[in-house]
Amino acid sequence: MTPGRWRSLGRRFWMIVLGSLLILGAGFSAQAASALQATDTDNACLYGRFANPLYFVVGRNPHGVATADFDHNGHLDLAVALKGELGMGYGVDVLLGNGDGSFQAAVTYQADRGPDGVAAADFNGDTHPDLVVTNYSSGDYLEPAKVSILLGKGDGTFNDPTNYLVGYGPTSVAVADLNKDGKLDLAVTNWGNTNSVSVLLGAGNGAFQAAVDYAAGNGPYFVTVGEFNGDNILDLAVANFRYNDVESTVSILLGNGNGAFAPPTNIGVGSQPASVAVADFNGDTLSDLAVGDFSSGRVSILVGNGDGSFQSFDNYGASSPGSVVVADFNDDTFIDLAVAGGSLLTVRMGNGNAVFGSPIFYSVEETLGGALVADFNGDQRPDLAIAGGKSDHVSLWLNSCWWNCYLPATLRS
């Protein structure tokens, strides 16, 4: 055997030894370790590894979560929608970030009854992030409910809410410029018996026009925005979640460019889809969908055709997926999946062809809620913030890239 061959084998031997030590030191569960299939490629992290969650106390029954730099100090902060319980504990908790993955104590702001979804954006052009909150219980299920706008002051505090009527039982909200006027608009799912999405066009000064409702599927629960048919106009994807519904679907509403939307095209997925994420999973520059099917315990991958239609590609098991988020967690340029649901966080690494690897499981104490991706400690790695995981807490999962990224360059090949 040649000396070069011995050196190559030696490097691989030490890579295995060092990788094993890292796994032991990180305290991986046997279940998670057995799910990993190691390969020796590239100079990227082979896996996105998340540290044990950090828990931060919030109010009762946290559901949605949003992030922005509310006080302009260069650190990301959190806003958490508190659905409350038994008619009490409604509100939005704001936690100001310290830039190292920790947060200050929560400060509660009032919205209306039953806050469920929350998003952050600048609605009045003053450069300060504002909040929009969907209030699920504000209509008593017999009349239209409300969304609340809380304008930010720029110091981490917020003004009293201004409320706008939407449909019955609003759950989630997406923010984007839906009519190309340079002002942010809202799309709100109405989970009540109207089976609609309310669109509120923004005036650019923090005010919104009256809601216009567009039909969706049965039980629209979650909405996101994407460009699905190549016309450079934003469209909507809606996960329709209804109990005992045998025809679970995702609705695609193609935008007309003026803030109006075409009738929905409904795509069959697994049972009771609760969330949907948009990304290019196969590198063809077209938008694809990952749908969290709550009752069937799987994530459905729908590959976009570029004309507003999608084809079912594959599905992957997950624990009662209530929230699906996407990012490149391991720095290999491919989009990965993180699925929060039940008492598990499930992470799968993407291969760049709409195929995803073996699951990496992280256990938590209690049910996980809404999730988002952002860099909360300034290390340029995508972290996770998830409502729940422990009673009346928000959990933070810091991305601690491991294995290949910690090895000297000479041991990466």
Side-chain angles (χ1 to χ4, degrees):
M1 185 174 294
T2 65
R5 178 62 173 163
W6 278 114
R7 284 194 296 271
S8 177
L9 289 175
R11 285 196 298 268
R12 293 177 184 274
F13 170 79
W14 283 112
M15 184 177 72
I16 293 171
V17 171
L18 289 172
S20 300
L21 289 174
L22 285 169
I23 293 174
L24 292 172
F28 263 106
S29 68
Q31 183 183 31
S34 65
L36 304 179
Q37 300 294 322
T39 58
D40 178 19
T41 59
D42 300 330
N43 290 335
C45 309
L46 293 182
Y47 301 102
R49 158 76 160 102
F50 291 92
N52 290 333
L54 304 172
Y55 291 108
F56 300 92
V57 177
V58 293
R60 194 78 186 113
N61 201 0
H63 267 233
V65 60
T67 189
D69 182 5
F70 298 130
D71 55 358
H72 294 290
N73 67 349
H75 307 319
L76 287 179
D77 312 308
L78 290 175
V80 183
L82 307 174
K83 202 167 186 178
E85 191 173 55
L86 301 177
M88 298 179 294
Y90 300 143
V92 179
D93 271 359
V94 173
L95 298 84
L96 298 181
N98 297 318
D100 58 359
S102 67
F103 293 86
Q104 299 176 31
V107 176
T108 303
Y109 296 86
Q110 294 305 308
D112 210 291
R113 287 177 294 169
D116 197 327
V118 60
D122 178 12
F123 296 124
N124 61 350
D126 63 358
T127 74
H128 305 324
D130 311 309
L131 296 176
V132 55
V133 183
T134 61
N135 301 293
Y136 178 79
S137 307
S138 58
D140 286 333
Y141 312 107
L142 299 176
E143 60 185 22
K146 306 178 184 74
V147 295
S148 298
I149 303 296
L150 289 76
L151 296 178
K153 299 179 181 180
D155 58 359
T157 64
F158 293 84
N159 288 289
D160 292 337
T162 299
N163 294 326
Y164 295 87
L165 291 176
V166 289
Y168 296 77
T171 48
S172 74
V173 57
V175 178
D177 180 6
L178 301 176
N179 61 349
K180 292 192 167 186
D181 66 352
K183 302 164 186 175
L184 291 177
D185 312 308
L186 307 176
V188 179
T189 49
N190 301 310
W191 194 60
N193 58 14
T194 56
N195 290 334
S196 65
V197 176
S198 293
V199 173
L200 297 84
L201 298 180
N205 59 357
F208 291 85
Q209 298 179 28
V212 177
D213 290 349
Y214 297 90
N218 190 14
Y221 187 77
F222 186 91
V223 61
T224 191
V225 176
E227 204 284 274
F228 302 133
N229 61 344
D231 62 359
N232 200 32
I233 296 172
L234 291 179
D235 312 307
L236 301 178
V238 182
N240 300 301
F241 179 112
R242 181 72 74 198
Y243 293 111
N244 302 319
D245 183 14
V246 296
E247 296 181 356
S248 296
T249 62
V250 168
S251 296
I252 303 299
L253 287 74
L254 297 180
N256 296 332
N258 59 358
F261 291 86
T265 299
N266 295 322
I267 305 170
V269 290
S271 180
Q272 296 179 335
S275 65
V276 56
V278 179
D280 178 11
F281 296 127
N282 59 357
D284 63 357
T285 74
L286 305 177
S287 292
D288 310 312
L289 303 177
V291 183
D293 303 320
F294 182 83
S295 290
S296 54
R298 72 184 196 187
V299 176
S300 297
I301 303 299
L302 306 176
V303 174
N305 296 318
D307 58 0
S309 67
F310 293 82
Q311 54 184 313
S312 179
F313 183 79
D314 208 342
N315 62 80
Y316 297 90
S319 173
S320 303
S323 184
V324 178
V325 292
V326 294
D328 179 9
F329 294 120
N330 61 345
D331 197 29
D332 65 354
T333 74
F334 302 141
I335 299 296
D336 311 310
L337 297 176
V339 185
S343 59
L344 282 178
L345 169 65
T346 305
V347 179
R348 291 179 183 266
M349 298 300 126
N351 295 331
N353 55 358
V355 174
F356 294 86
S358 298
I360 308 170
F361 298 110
Y362 301 89
S363 296
V364 295
E365 296 181 17
E366 297 182 16
T367 301
L368 294 169
L372 63 79
V373 177
D375 177 13
F376 291 106
N377 60 350
D379 64 357
Q380 309 302 311
R381 298 172 188 158
D383 309 310
L384 296 172
I386 306 177
K390 192 176 183 180
S391 292
D392 304 335
H393 287 71
V394 60
S395 56
L396 185 70
W397 305 71
L398 295 178
N399 188 335
S400 55
C401 169
W402 66 283
W403 187 287
N404 207 19
C405 62
Y406 290 140
L407 296 177
T410 55
L411 295 181
R412 291 178 179 168
S413 59

